[in-house]
Amino acid sequence: MAFTLPALPYAFNALEPHIDARTMEIHHGKHHNAYVTNLNNAVVGKPEENLSIEEICKNISKYPMVVRNNGGGHYNHSLFWQIMGPNAGGKPTGALADAIQGTFGSFEEFQKQFNAAATSRFGSGWAWLVKEGSGKLVISSTPNQDNPLMDIADVKGTPILGLDVWEHAYYLHYQNRRPDYCTAFWNVINWSEVSKRFSA
Ligand code: MN3
């Protein structure tokens, strides 16, 4: 198979109480796994089965919707697991902290704008912190499993932080309270991983 489900880099319960173990288990083992399976089924025997998921996303307009939805789902969740972790939260440091300060004025203002993007996304989708080609930071939001790497995205660039606001990401614990889930997310952000992506 061209694409494989990456192992979760921590235990299912590692993000509690902010994200519960059952949600993590279903989200990784069922939802992400299904994106990988469906993506593999869609690309088998085609040239794109030899491409990286990043290359596929960058040219997503060339592929059918099944690849866009499931390829996006695979890329987005692979990023999502990495940018969270136990013993996380707090604030970024170094160059990323400086860039956030320079772009948004303060970390608190950045949080406010990111939460606004996450809570106002209608239906299913993602909120992103994106590093544009120029190196500038920008907040965006995409529907469904689209992402900023995709050539169809309104805001294009490299996603360095992403928040899944599909109901499957929070409904068991938070039900309809998406804003509470978005607030809790700040406690599990692995800033060293986000910084690594920013500096790459
Ligand atoms: Mn999800």
Side-chain angles (χ1 to χ4, degrees), residues 100 103-104 106-120 126-132 136-142 148 154-156 160-161 186:
I100 287 174
T103 303
F104 303 101
S106 68
F107 181 73
E108 290 69 27
E109 179 60 26
F110 158 63
Q111 283 184 301
K112 204 171 106 184
Q113 292 184 27
F114 188 91
N115 278 353
T119 54
S120 65
W126 292 74
W128 303 103
L129 179 61
V130 183
K131 186 184 179 186
E132 293 184 313
K136 195 173 169 353
L137 290 176
V138 61
I139 289 168
S140 77
S141 161
T142 54
D154 293 336
V155 175
K156 294 179 194 59
I160 64 169
L161 175 70
W186 298 96

PDB file of all heavy atoms in Angstrom, residues 100 103-104 106-120 126-132 136-142 148 154-156 160-161 186:
ATOM      1  N   ILE A 100       5.141  35.552  15.519  1.00  0.00           N
ATOM      2  CA  ILE A 100       3.752  35.712  15.976  1.00  0.00           C
ATOM      3  C   ILE A 100       3.552  37.120  16.539  1.00  0.00           C
ATOM      4  O   ILE A 100       2.575  37.801  16.222  1.00  0.00           O
ATOM      5  CB  ILE A 100       3.393  34.625  17.014  1.00  0.00           C
ATOM      6  CG1 ILE A 100       3.231  33.272  16.298  1.00  0.00           C
ATOM      7  CG2 ILE A 100       2.124  34.998  17.785  1.00  0.00           C
ATOM      8  CD1 ILE A 100       3.011  32.083  17.215  1.00  0.00           C
ATOM      9  N   THR A 103       3.536  39.624  13.648  1.00  0.00           N
ATOM     10  CA  THR A 103       2.383  39.557  12.746  1.00  0.00           C
ATOM     11  C   THR A 103       1.093  39.961  13.438  1.00  0.00           C
ATOM     12  O   THR A 103       0.274  40.677  12.858  1.00  0.00           O
ATOM     13  CB  THR A 103       2.226  38.117  12.209  1.00  0.00           C
ATOM     14  OG1 THR A 103       3.446  37.739  11.558  1.00  0.00           O
ATOM     15  CG2 THR A 103       1.069  38.025  11.212  1.00  0.00           C
ATOM     16  N   PHE A 104       0.910  39.479  14.664  1.00  0.00           N
ATOM     17  CA  PHE A 104      -0.392  39.653  15.332  1.00  0.00           C
ATOM     18  C   PHE A 104      -0.351  40.677  16.469  1.00  0.00           C
ATOM     19  O   PHE A 104      -1.394  40.999  17.032  1.00  0.00           O
ATOM     20  CB  PHE A 104      -0.888  38.303  15.869  1.00  0.00           C
ATOM     21  CG  PHE A 104      -1.009  37.250  14.785  1.00  0.00           C
ATOM     22  CD1 PHE A 104      -0.032  36.278  14.623  1.00  0.00           C
ATOM     23  CD2 PHE A 104      -2.098  37.255  13.914  1.00  0.00           C
ATOM     24  CE1 PHE A 104      -0.124  35.322  13.614  1.00  0.00           C
ATOM     25  CE2 PHE A 104      -2.201  36.309  12.903  1.00  0.00           C
ATOM     26  CZ  PHE A 104      -1.212  35.341  12.743  1.00  0.00           C
ATOM     27  N   SER A 106       0.579  40.324  19.498  1.00  0.00           N
ATOM     28  CA  SER A 106       0.817  39.598  20.752  1.00  0.00           C
ATOM     29  C   SER A 106       0.353  38.150  20.586  1.00  0.00           C
ATOM     30  O   SER A 106      -0.432  37.841  19.675  1.00  0.00           O
ATOM     31  CB  SER A 106       0.047  40.231  21.915  1.00  0.00           C
ATOM     32  OG  SER A 106      -1.349  40.049  21.726  1.00  0.00           O
ATOM     33  N   PHE A 107       0.831  37.292  21.476  1.00  0.00           N
ATOM     34  CA  PHE A 107       0.393  35.893  21.447  1.00  0.00           C
ATOM     35  C   PHE A 107      -1.107  35.812  21.718  1.00  0.00           C
ATOM     36  O   PHE A 107      -1.819  35.020  21.098  1.00  0.00           O
ATOM     37  CB  PHE A 107       1.177  35.077  22.481  1.00  0.00           C
ATOM     38  CG  PHE A 107       0.797  33.617  22.498  1.00  0.00           C
ATOM     39  CD1 PHE A 107       1.182  32.765  21.486  1.00  0.00           C
ATOM     40  CD2 PHE A 107       0.049  33.093  23.564  1.00  0.00           C
ATOM     41  CE1 PHE A 107       0.829  31.421  21.503  1.00  0.00           C
ATOM     42  CE2 PHE A 107      -0.311  31.748  23.586  1.00  0.00           C
ATOM     43  CZ  PHE A 107       0.078  30.908  22.545  1.00  0.00           C
ATOM     44  N   GLU A 108      -1.593  36.654  22.637  1.00  0.00           N
ATOM     45  CA  GLU A 108      -3.015  36.628  23.002  1.00  0.00           C
ATOM     46  C   GLU A 108      -3.896  37.033  21.808  1.00  0.00           C
ATOM     47  O   GLU A 108      -4.968  36.463  21.610  1.00  0.00           O
ATOM     48  CB  GLU A 108      -3.262  37.559  24.198  1.00  0.00           C
ATOM     49  CG  GLU A 108      -2.673  37.049  25.519  1.00  0.00           C
ATOM     50  CD  GLU A 108      -1.137  37.064  25.582  1.00  0.00           C
ATOM     51  OE1 GLU A 108      -0.502  37.892  24.886  1.00  0.00           O
ATOM     52  OE2 GLU A 108      -0.566  36.217  26.318  1.00  0.00           O
ATOM     53  N   GLU A 109      -3.450  38.009  21.043  1.00  0.00           N
ATOM     54  CA  GLU A 109      -4.209  38.421  19.861  1.00  0.00           C
ATOM     55  C   GLU A 109      -4.197  37.303  18.807  1.00  0.00           C
ATOM     56  O   GLU A 109      -5.210  37.051  18.138  1.00  0.00           O
ATOM     57  CB  GLU A 109      -3.627  39.716  19.285  1.00  0.00           C
ATOM     58  CG  GLU A 109      -4.336  40.230  18.037  1.00  0.00           C
ATOM     59  CD  GLU A 109      -5.815  40.553  18.247  1.00  0.00           C
ATOM     60  OE1 GLU A 109      -6.216  40.852  19.392  1.00  0.00           O
ATOM     61  OE2 GLU A 109      -6.586  40.492  17.256  1.00  0.00           O
ATOM     62  N   PHE A 110      -3.063  36.636  18.660  1.00  0.00           N
ATOM     63  CA  PHE A 110      -2.990  35.483  17.756  1.00  0.00           C
ATOM     64  C   PHE A 110      -3.985  34.406  18.188  1.00  0.00           C
ATOM     65  O   PHE A 110      -4.733  33.860  17.360  1.00  0.00           O
ATOM     66  CB  PHE A 110      -1.557  34.926  17.742  1.00  0.00           C
ATOM     67  CG  PHE A 110      -1.462  33.495  17.290  1.00  0.00           C
ATOM     68  CD1 PHE A 110      -1.828  33.125  16.000  1.00  0.00           C
ATOM     69  CD2 PHE A 110      -1.016  32.506  18.166  1.00  0.00           C
ATOM     70  CE1 PHE A 110      -1.748  31.802  15.585  1.00  0.00           C
ATOM     71  CE2 PHE A 110      -0.941  31.180  17.764  1.00  0.00           C
ATOM     72  CZ  PHE A 110      -1.310  30.824  16.471  1.00  0.00           C
ATOM     73  N   GLN A 111      -4.028  34.097  19.495  1.00  0.00           N
ATOM     74  CA  GLN A 111      -4.975  33.092  19.998  1.00  0.00           C
ATOM     75  C   GLN A 111      -6.415  33.478  19.668  1.00  0.00           C
ATOM     76  O   GLN A 111      -7.224  32.649  19.271  1.00  0.00           O
ATOM     77  CB  GLN A 111      -4.846  32.962  21.521  1.00  0.00           C
ATOM     78  CG  GLN A 111      -3.647  32.168  21.981  1.00  0.00           C
ATOM     79  CD  GLN A 111      -3.655  32.003  23.492  1.00  0.00           C
ATOM     80  OE1 GLN A 111      -3.639  32.986  24.226  1.00  0.00           O
ATOM     81  NE2 GLN A 111      -3.685  30.771  23.955  1.00  0.00           N
ATOM     82  N   LYS A 112      -6.717  34.753  19.865  1.00  0.00           N
ATOM     83  CA  LYS A 112      -8.063  35.246  19.629  1.00  0.00           C
ATOM     84  C   LYS A 112      -8.452  35.056  18.159  1.00  0.00           C
ATOM     85  O   LYS A 112      -9.546  34.555  17.843  1.00  0.00           O
ATOM     86  CB  LYS A 112      -8.111  36.744  20.002  1.00  0.00           C
ATOM     87  CG  LYS A 112      -9.482  37.260  20.356  1.00  0.00           C
ATOM     88  CD  LYS A 112      -9.400  38.678  20.916  1.00  0.00           C
ATOM     89  CE  LYS A 112      -9.901  39.673  19.870  1.00  0.00           C
ATOM     90  NZ  LYS A 112      -9.749  41.074  20.323  1.00  0.00           N
ATOM     91  N   GLN A 113      -7.557  35.407  17.263  1.00  0.00           N
ATOM     92  CA  GLN A 113      -7.859  35.301  15.832  1.00  0.00           C
ATOM     93  C   GLN A 113      -7.929  33.847  15.375  1.00  0.00           C
ATOM     94  O   GLN A 113      -8.744  33.486  14.530  1.00  0.00           O
ATOM     95  CB  GLN A 113      -6.827  36.081  15.014  1.00  0.00           C
ATOM     96  CG  GLN A 113      -6.914  37.592  15.219  1.00  0.00           C
ATOM     97  CD  GLN A 113      -5.949  38.356  14.329  1.00  0.00           C
ATOM     98  OE1 GLN A 113      -5.572  37.907  13.242  1.00  0.00           O
ATOM     99  NE2 GLN A 113      -5.537  39.536  14.781  1.00  0.00           N
ATOM    100  N   PHE A 114      -7.049  33.005  15.938  1.00  0.00           N
ATOM    101  CA  PHE A 114      -7.076  31.585  15.572  1.00  0.00           C
ATOM    102  C   PHE A 114      -8.368  30.940  16.069  1.00  0.00           C
ATOM    103  O   PHE A 114      -9.024  30.183  15.340  1.00  0.00           O
ATOM    104  CB  PHE A 114      -5.846  30.872  16.160  1.00  0.00           C
ATOM    105  CG  PHE A 114      -5.675  29.449  15.697  1.00  0.00           C
ATOM    106  CD1 PHE A 114      -4.914  29.149  14.581  1.00  0.00           C
ATOM    107  CD2 PHE A 114      -6.283  28.393  16.391  1.00  0.00           C
ATOM    108  CE1 PHE A 114      -4.758  27.842  14.141  1.00  0.00           C
ATOM    109  CE2 PHE A 114      -6.134  27.082  15.963  1.00  0.00           C
ATOM    110  CZ  PHE A 114      -5.366  26.799  14.832  1.00  0.00           C
ATOM    111  N   ASN A 115      -8.747  31.241  17.310  1.00  0.00           N
ATOM    112  CA  ASN A 115      -9.998  30.693  17.848  1.00  0.00           C
ATOM    113  C   ASN A 115     -11.202  31.164  17.045  1.00  0.00           C
ATOM    114  O   ASN A 115     -12.154  30.397  16.832  1.00  0.00           O
ATOM    115  CB  ASN A 115     -10.168  31.105  19.316  1.00  0.00           C
ATOM    116  CG  ASN A 115      -9.381  30.215  20.266  1.00  0.00           C
ATOM    117  OD1 ASN A 115      -8.815  29.211  19.861  1.00  0.00           O
ATOM    118  ND2 ASN A 115      -9.337  30.593  21.528  1.00  0.00           N
ATOM    119  N   ALA A 116     -11.155  32.400  16.582  1.00  0.00           N
ATOM    120  CA  ALA A 116     -12.260  32.923  15.774  1.00  0.00           C
ATOM    121  C   ALA A 116     -12.367  32.140  14.458  1.00  0.00           C
ATOM    122  O   ALA A 116     -13.468  31.801  14.005  1.00  0.00           O
ATOM    123  CB  ALA A 116     -12.055  34.410  15.505  1.00  0.00           C
ATOM    124  N   ALA A 117     -11.222  31.841  13.849  1.00  0.00           N
ATOM    125  CA  ALA A 117     -11.229  31.072  12.596  1.00  0.00           C
ATOM    126  C   ALA A 117     -11.776  29.658  12.837  1.00  0.00           C
ATOM    127  O   ALA A 117     -12.524  29.113  12.024  1.00  0.00           O
ATOM    128  CB  ALA A 117      -9.814  30.995  12.020  1.00  0.00           C
ATOM    129  N   ALA A 118     -11.412  29.076  13.981  1.00  0.00           N
ATOM    130  CA  ALA A 118     -11.826  27.695  14.295  1.00  0.00           C
ATOM    131  C   ALA A 118     -13.305  27.607  14.658  1.00  0.00           C
ATOM    132  O   ALA A 118     -14.001  26.686  14.240  1.00  0.00           O
ATOM    133  CB  ALA A 118     -10.969  27.143  15.436  1.00  0.00           C
ATOM    134  N   THR A 119     -13.765  28.564  15.430  1.00  0.00           N
ATOM    135  CA  THR A 119     -15.157  28.482  15.893  1.00  0.00           C
ATOM    136  C   THR A 119     -16.134  28.923  14.809  1.00  0.00           C
ATOM    137  O   THR A 119     -17.277  28.485  14.795  1.00  0.00           O
ATOM    138  CB  THR A 119     -15.386  29.328  17.167  1.00  0.00           C
ATOM    139  OG1 THR A 119     -14.952  30.659  16.915  1.00  0.00           O
ATOM    140  CG2 THR A 119     -14.631  28.768  18.347  1.00  0.00           C
ATOM    141  N   SER A 120     -15.694  29.774  13.886  1.00  0.00           N
ATOM    142  CA  SER A 120     -16.616  30.281  12.873  1.00  0.00           C
ATOM    143  C   SER A 120     -16.647  29.450  11.595  1.00  0.00           C
ATOM    144  O   SER A 120     -17.465  29.715  10.718  1.00  0.00           O
ATOM    145  CB  SER A 120     -16.271  31.733  12.527  1.00  0.00           C
ATOM    146  OG  SER A 120     -15.002  31.789  11.910  1.00  0.00           O
ATOM    147  N   TRP A 126     -11.071  22.857   9.138  1.00  0.00           N
ATOM    148  CA  TRP A 126      -9.850  23.059   9.912  1.00  0.00           C
ATOM    149  C   TRP A 126      -9.523  24.543  10.038  1.00  0.00           C
ATOM    150  O   TRP A 126      -9.844  25.318   9.137  1.00  0.00           O
ATOM    151  CB  TRP A 126      -8.660  22.374   9.209  1.00  0.00           C
ATOM    152  CG  TRP A 126      -8.735  20.874   9.214  1.00  0.00           C
ATOM    153  CD1 TRP A 126      -9.573  20.087   8.456  1.00  0.00           C
ATOM    154  CD2 TRP A 126      -7.957  19.988  10.012  1.00  0.00           C
ATOM    155  NE1 TRP A 126      -9.351  18.760   8.747  1.00  0.00           N
ATOM    156  CE2 TRP A 126      -8.363  18.664   9.685  1.00  0.00           C
ATOM    157  CE3 TRP A 126      -6.951  20.168  10.966  1.00  0.00           C
ATOM    158  CZ2 TRP A 126      -7.790  17.545  10.295  1.00  0.00           C
ATOM    159  CZ3 TRP A 126      -6.380  19.047  11.564  1.00  0.00           C
ATOM    160  CH2 TRP A 126      -6.810  17.750  11.232  1.00  0.00           C
ATOM    161  N   ALA A 127      -8.859  24.893  11.141  1.00  0.00           N
ATOM    162  CA  ALA A 127      -8.220  26.207  11.278  1.00  0.00           C
ATOM    163  C   ALA A 127      -6.714  25.990  11.196  1.00  0.00           C
ATOM    164  O   ALA A 127      -6.202  24.963  11.676  1.00  0.00           O
ATOM    165  CB  ALA A 127      -8.594  26.848  12.605  1.00  0.00           C
ATOM    166  N   TRP A 128      -6.023  26.963  10.593  1.00  0.00           N
ATOM    167  CA  TRP A 128      -4.588  26.796  10.322  1.00  0.00           C
ATOM    168  C   TRP A 128      -3.794  28.033  10.697  1.00  0.00           C
ATOM    169  O   TRP A 128      -4.289  29.162  10.534  1.00  0.00           O
ATOM    170  CB  TRP A 128      -4.358  26.564   8.820  1.00  0.00           C
ATOM    171  CG  TRP A 128      -5.075  25.399   8.231  1.00  0.00           C
ATOM    172  CD1 TRP A 128      -6.209  25.449   7.462  1.00  0.00           C
ATOM    173  CD2 TRP A 128      -4.714  24.023   8.319  1.00  0.00           C
ATOM    174  NE1 TRP A 128      -6.567  24.171   7.086  1.00  0.00           N
ATOM    175  CE2 TRP A 128      -5.679  23.284   7.588  1.00  0.00           C
ATOM    176  CE3 TRP A 128      -3.660  23.334   8.945  1.00  0.00           C
ATOM    177  CZ2 TRP A 128      -5.626  21.891   7.479  1.00  0.00           C
ATOM    178  CZ3 TRP A 128      -3.615  21.955   8.840  1.00  0.00           C
ATOM    179  CH2 TRP A 128      -4.591  21.248   8.108  1.00  0.00           C
ATOM    180  N   LEU A 129      -2.545  27.797  11.101  1.00  0.00           N
ATOM    181  CA  LEU A 129      -1.523  28.842  11.070  1.00  0.00           C
ATOM    182  C   LEU A 129      -0.606  28.458   9.917  1.00  0.00           C
ATOM    183  O   LEU A 129      -0.053  27.347   9.898  1.00  0.00           O
ATOM    184  CB  LEU A 129      -0.752  28.928  12.392  1.00  0.00           C
ATOM    185  CG  LEU A 129       0.367  29.993  12.417  1.00  0.00           C
ATOM    186  CD1 LEU A 129      -0.198  31.395  12.188  1.00  0.00           C
ATOM    187  CD2 LEU A 129       1.143  29.928  13.727  1.00  0.00           C
ATOM    188  N   VAL A 130      -0.489  29.356   8.964  1.00  0.00           N
ATOM    189  CA  VAL A 130       0.179  29.058   7.696  1.00  0.00           C
ATOM    190  C   VAL A 130       1.402  29.946   7.530  1.00  0.00           C
ATOM    191  O   VAL A 130       1.352  31.142   7.814  1.00  0.00           O
ATOM    192  CB  VAL A 130      -0.793  29.325   6.516  1.00  0.00           C
ATOM    193  CG1 VAL A 130      -0.147  28.965   5.183  1.00  0.00           C
ATOM    194  CG2 VAL A 130      -2.102  28.570   6.716  1.00  0.00           C
ATOM    195  N   LYS A 131       2.489  29.341   7.052  1.00  0.00           N
ATOM    196  CA  LYS A 131       3.662  30.116   6.644  1.00  0.00           C
ATOM    197  C   LYS A 131       3.588  30.265   5.136  1.00  0.00           C
ATOM    198  O   LYS A 131       3.707  29.279   4.399  1.00  0.00           O
ATOM    199  CB  LYS A 131       4.946  29.393   7.060  1.00  0.00           C
ATOM    200  CG  LYS A 131       6.211  30.182   6.800  1.00  0.00           C
ATOM    201  CD  LYS A 131       7.434  29.329   7.158  1.00  0.00           C
ATOM    202  CE  LYS A 131       8.719  30.080   6.876  1.00  0.00           C
ATOM    203  NZ  LYS A 131       9.903  29.206   7.090  1.00  0.00           N
ATOM    204  N   GLU A 132       3.365  31.484   4.699  1.00  0.00           N
ATOM    205  CA  GLU A 132       3.255  31.730   3.264  1.00  0.00           C
ATOM    206  C   GLU A 132       4.628  31.646   2.611  1.00  0.00           C
ATOM    207  O   GLU A 132       5.654  31.666   3.302  1.00  0.00           O
ATOM    208  CB  GLU A 132       2.643  33.117   3.022  1.00  0.00           C
ATOM    209  CG  GLU A 132       1.193  33.211   3.476  1.00  0.00           C
ATOM    210  CD  GLU A 132       0.576  34.558   3.145  1.00  0.00           C
ATOM    211  OE1 GLU A 132       1.207  35.593   3.420  1.00  0.00           O
ATOM    212  OE2 GLU A 132      -0.547  34.565   2.614  1.00  0.00           O
ATOM    213  N   LYS A 136       5.821  34.944   5.641  1.00  0.00           N
ATOM    214  CA  LYS A 136       4.875  35.622   6.522  1.00  0.00           C
ATOM    215  C   LYS A 136       3.858  34.632   7.097  1.00  0.00           C
ATOM    216  O   LYS A 136       3.440  33.695   6.413  1.00  0.00           O
ATOM    217  CB  LYS A 136       4.150  36.692   5.704  1.00  0.00           C
ATOM    218  CG  LYS A 136       3.411  37.720   6.536  1.00  0.00           C
ATOM    219  CD  LYS A 136       2.875  38.826   5.605  1.00  0.00           C
ATOM    220  CE  LYS A 136       1.887  39.783   6.237  1.00  0.00           C
ATOM    221  NZ  LYS A 136       1.393  39.527   7.565  1.00  0.00           N
ATOM    222  N   LEU A 137       3.453  34.860   8.344  1.00  0.00           N
ATOM    223  CA  LEU A 137       2.437  34.024   8.986  1.00  0.00           C
ATOM    224  C   LEU A 137       1.043  34.552   8.687  1.00  0.00           C
ATOM    225  O   LEU A 137       0.826  35.763   8.635  1.00  0.00           O
ATOM    226  CB  LEU A 137       2.632  34.008  10.502  1.00  0.00           C
ATOM    227  CG  LEU A 137       3.846  33.258  11.038  1.00  0.00           C
ATOM    228  CD1 LEU A 137       3.932  33.442  12.553  1.00  0.00           C
ATOM    229  CD2 LEU A 137       3.778  31.778  10.679  1.00  0.00           C
ATOM    230  N   VAL A 138       0.086  33.641   8.524  1.00  0.00           N
ATOM    231  CA  VAL A 138      -1.303  34.042   8.318  1.00  0.00           C
ATOM    232  C   VAL A 138      -2.208  32.947   8.884  1.00  0.00           C
ATOM    233  O   VAL A 138      -1.847  31.765   8.878  1.00  0.00           O
ATOM    234  CB  VAL A 138      -1.582  34.313   6.817  1.00  0.00           C
ATOM    235  CG1 VAL A 138      -1.351  33.078   5.974  1.00  0.00           C
ATOM    236  CG2 VAL A 138      -2.979  34.863   6.594  1.00  0.00           C
ATOM    237  N   ILE A 139      -3.354  33.345   9.410  1.00  0.00           N
ATOM    238  CA  ILE A 139      -4.359  32.393   9.902  1.00  0.00           C
ATOM    239  C   ILE A 139      -5.360  32.149   8.789  1.00  0.00           C
ATOM    240  O   ILE A 139      -5.766  33.090   8.095  1.00  0.00           O
ATOM    241  CB  ILE A 139      -5.075  32.960  11.146  1.00  0.00           C
ATOM    242  CG1 ILE A 139      -4.117  32.980  12.346  1.00  0.00           C
ATOM    243  CG2 ILE A 139      -6.332  32.131  11.483  1.00  0.00           C
ATOM    244  CD1 ILE A 139      -4.637  33.786  13.515  1.00  0.00           C
ATOM    245  N   SER A 140      -5.755  30.894   8.605  1.00  0.00           N
ATOM    246  CA  SER A 140      -6.791  30.606   7.617  1.00  0.00           C
ATOM    247  C   SER A 140      -7.668  29.467   8.115  1.00  0.00           C
ATOM    248  O   SER A 140      -7.429  28.887   9.175  1.00  0.00           O
ATOM    249  CB  SER A 140      -6.187  30.257   6.250  1.00  0.00           C
ATOM    250  OG  SER A 140      -5.698  28.932   6.247  1.00  0.00           O
ATOM    251  N   SER A 141      -8.680  29.185   7.324  1.00  0.00           N
ATOM    252  CA  SER A 141      -9.593  28.090   7.635  1.00  0.00           C
ATOM    253  C   SER A 141      -9.998  27.450   6.312  1.00  0.00           C
ATOM    254  O   SER A 141     -10.157  28.148   5.312  1.00  0.00           O
ATOM    255  CB  SER A 141     -10.801  28.660   8.374  1.00  0.00           C
ATOM    256  OG  SER A 141     -11.888  27.770   8.316  1.00  0.00           O
ATOM    257  N   THR A 142     -10.110  26.119   6.326  1.00  0.00           N
ATOM    258  CA  THR A 142     -10.517  25.402   5.106  1.00  0.00           C
ATOM    259  C   THR A 142     -11.705  24.497   5.424  1.00  0.00           C
ATOM    260  O   THR A 142     -11.832  24.006   6.548  1.00  0.00           O
ATOM    261  CB  THR A 142      -9.367  24.522   4.559  1.00  0.00           C
ATOM    262  OG1 THR A 142      -8.902  23.656   5.598  1.00  0.00           O
ATOM    263  CG2 THR A 142      -8.226  25.372   4.025  1.00  0.00           C
ATOM    264  N   PRO A 148      -3.937  24.188   3.357  1.00  0.00           N
ATOM    265  CA  PRO A 148      -3.241  25.288   2.665  1.00  0.00           C
ATOM    266  C   PRO A 148      -2.198  24.845   1.642  1.00  0.00           C
ATOM    267  O   PRO A 148      -1.745  25.668   0.842  1.00  0.00           O
ATOM    268  CB  PRO A 148      -2.566  26.059   3.808  1.00  0.00           C
ATOM    269  CG  PRO A 148      -3.331  25.669   5.031  1.00  0.00           C
ATOM    270  CD  PRO A 148      -3.739  24.254   4.807  1.00  0.00           C
ATOM    271  N   ASP A 154      -7.755  29.012  -0.705  1.00  0.00           N
ATOM    272  CA  ASP A 154      -7.798  30.481  -0.767  1.00  0.00           C
ATOM    273  C   ASP A 154      -6.482  31.062  -0.252  1.00  0.00           C
ATOM    274  O   ASP A 154      -5.949  32.012  -0.806  1.00  0.00           O
ATOM    275  CB  ASP A 154      -8.955  31.027   0.090  1.00  0.00           C
ATOM    276  CG  ASP A 154     -10.315  30.657  -0.484  1.00  0.00           C
ATOM    277  OD1 ASP A 154     -10.390  30.417  -1.707  1.00  0.00           O
ATOM    278  OD2 ASP A 154     -11.296  30.617   0.276  1.00  0.00           O
ATOM    279  N   VAL A 155      -5.996  30.519   0.860  1.00  0.00           N
ATOM    280  CA  VAL A 155      -4.718  30.939   1.438  1.00  0.00           C
ATOM    281  C   VAL A 155      -3.745  29.780   1.283  1.00  0.00           C
ATOM    282  O   VAL A 155      -3.951  28.713   1.853  1.00  0.00           O
ATOM    283  CB  VAL A 155      -4.876  31.302   2.929  1.00  0.00           C
ATOM    284  CG1 VAL A 155      -3.527  31.616   3.555  1.00  0.00           C
ATOM    285  CG2 VAL A 155      -5.841  32.463   3.096  1.00  0.00           C
ATOM    286  N   LYS A 156      -2.679  29.993   0.502  1.00  0.00           N
ATOM    287  CA  LYS A 156      -1.738  28.908   0.216  1.00  0.00           C
ATOM    288  C   LYS A 156      -0.436  29.095   0.976  1.00  0.00           C
ATOM    289  O   LYS A 156       0.023  30.218   1.170  1.00  0.00           O
ATOM    290  CB  LYS A 156      -1.447  28.847  -1.286  1.00  0.00           C
ATOM    291  CG  LYS A 156      -2.643  28.460  -2.127  1.00  0.00           C
ATOM    292  CD  LYS A 156      -2.275  28.442  -3.602  1.00  0.00           C
ATOM    293  CE  LYS A 156      -3.493  28.395  -4.485  1.00  0.00           C
ATOM    294  NZ  LYS A 156      -4.414  29.541  -4.296  1.00  0.00           N
ATOM    295  N   ILE A 160       1.662  25.094   9.606  1.00  0.00           N
ATOM    296  CA  ILE A 160       2.575  24.726  10.704  1.00  0.00           C
ATOM    297  C   ILE A 160       1.804  24.382  11.980  1.00  0.00           C
ATOM    298  O   ILE A 160       2.349  23.811  12.915  1.00  0.00           O
ATOM    299  CB  ILE A 160       3.635  25.815  10.967  1.00  0.00           C
ATOM    300  CG1 ILE A 160       3.006  27.120  11.454  1.00  0.00           C
ATOM    301  CG2 ILE A 160       4.475  26.064   9.719  1.00  0.00           C
ATOM    302  CD1 ILE A 160       4.047  28.125  11.974  1.00  0.00           C
ATOM    303  N   LEU A 161       0.517  24.750  12.023  1.00  0.00           N
ATOM    304  CA  LEU A 161      -0.358  24.408  13.144  1.00  0.00           C
ATOM    305  C   LEU A 161      -1.754  24.220  12.568  1.00  0.00           C
ATOM    306  O   LEU A 161      -2.171  25.010  11.715  1.00  0.00           O
ATOM    307  CB  LEU A 161      -0.365  25.558  14.170  1.00  0.00           C
ATOM    308  CG  LEU A 161      -1.315  25.430  15.366  1.00  0.00           C
ATOM    309  CD1 LEU A 161      -0.834  24.339  16.317  1.00  0.00           C
ATOM    310  CD2 LEU A 161      -1.412  26.757  16.126  1.00  0.00           C
ATOM    311  N   TRP A 186      -5.258  24.720  23.275  1.00  0.00           N
ATOM    312  CA  TRP A 186      -4.012  25.444  23.585  1.00  0.00           C
ATOM    313  C   TRP A 186      -3.181  24.730  24.644  1.00  0.00           C
ATOM    314  O   TRP A 186      -1.983  24.969  24.752  1.00  0.00           O
ATOM    315  CB  TRP A 186      -4.341  26.876  24.015  1.00  0.00           C
ATOM    316  CG  TRP A 186      -5.013  27.619  22.897  1.00  0.00           C
ATOM    317  CD1 TRP A 186      -6.352  27.794  22.712  1.00  0.00           C
ATOM    318  CD2 TRP A 186      -4.372  28.230  21.761  1.00  0.00           C
ATOM    319  NE1 TRP A 186      -6.585  28.474  21.535  1.00  0.00           N
ATOM    320  CE2 TRP A 186      -5.392  28.754  20.939  1.00  0.00           C
ATOM    321  CE3 TRP A 186      -3.033  28.375  21.369  1.00  0.00           C
ATOM    322  CZ2 TRP A 186      -5.115  29.424  19.742  1.00  0.00           C
ATOM    323  CZ3 TRP A 186      -2.766  29.042  20.178  1.00  0.00           C
ATOM    324  CH2 TRP A 186      -3.794  29.562  19.388  1.00  0.00           C
TER     325      TRP A 186
END
